[in-house]
Amino acid sequence: ITDGEMVNVKGKGGLSAQQLFKVDLNNYQISASDADTLVLQRKGNVNPLANFFGLGGGQNKFSVRLSAIDAPETAKADREGMPFADTALGRLRSMMKRGKKLELFLNPGDITYGRQVGSLFVDGRNVELDLVKSGNARFLNFKGKNKQIFDTKVFGKMEKLAQGNDSGMWGDPYYKPFEEVMNRSGKSVTFNSL
């Protein structure tokens, strides 16, 4: 993704990084395939001749892994979806649809499982923080090669609040053992590893 510029995000809700790449979303259609994964599709036909010969393929499509969160897994060809997966995805899609201003910030060079790591804001609100606070995603204190772009204290506090209020998935018996294991061990396990 090259459409955009480096910007200072200091003081922006839930972010701890100083400089991130702000994507010019005017050049992309944005959608969500999971509550923690965005898909950017470049608008227009970038290289019609290459596409005609089958050489343009996936070059116009990019995946973005939302930082600081892990959302329940939606149904895949080989397995059922987890409880609250569709609810979490629905909340993300609803925020994106209702929002007047979407901003996507990427951490250059931070890629996990083929997805660029980034943070989405809708009308000035941090989407990942909203999903954690509402119990639609859990805080994932991911420690990649690069400096974290999120504020661990803010996200940790919001997750504890959601768990204490049994918000969203935390009120479902399916997630109680998961919550207890995490709290007792202090270790993080992602939903896709369950």
Side-chain angles (χ1 to χ4, degrees), residues 60-168:
N60 300 331
K61 204 176 212 178
F62 306 93
S63 290
V64 176
R65 173 69 157 91
L66 293 176
S67 69
I69 67 170
D70 188 26
E73 296 296 315
T74 55
K76 306 286 187 259
D78 60 341
R79 68 174 180 210
E80 290 182 21
M82 297 172 78
F84 277 88
D86 292 332
T87 302
L89 178 57
R91 183 174 181 100
L92 173 60
R93 286 179 173 165
S94 175
M95 285 189 289
M96 290 168 55
K97 184 177 180 181
R98 286 191 331 257
K100 291 177 179 38
K101 181 180 180 185
L102 275 64
E103 297 175 287
L104 180 62
F105 300 95
L106 302 178
N107 190 8
D110 197 356
I111 297 173
T112 181
Y113 298 103
R115 298 173 291 177
Q116 178 72 52
V117 177
S119 185
L120 180 66
F121 282 74
V122 174
D123 297 332
R125 291 180 58 197
N126 184 315
V127 168
E128 300 95 79
L129 202 52
D130 178 275
L131 291 170
V132 169
K133 186 178 178 182
S134 63
N136 284 286
R138 68 182 268 301
F139 169 46
L140 179 61
N141 192 2
F142 179 74
K143 296 176 176 91
K145 293 176 251 165
N146 296 333
K147 184 180 177 200
Q148 295 167 328
I149 66 172
F150 51 87
D151 185 328
T152 58
K153 290 179 185 172
V154 171
F155 275 89
K157 181 179 178 183
M158 288 302 115
E159 181 175 63
K160 291 290 181 208
L161 231 115
Q163 288 173 338
N165 292 329
D166 285 339
S167 298

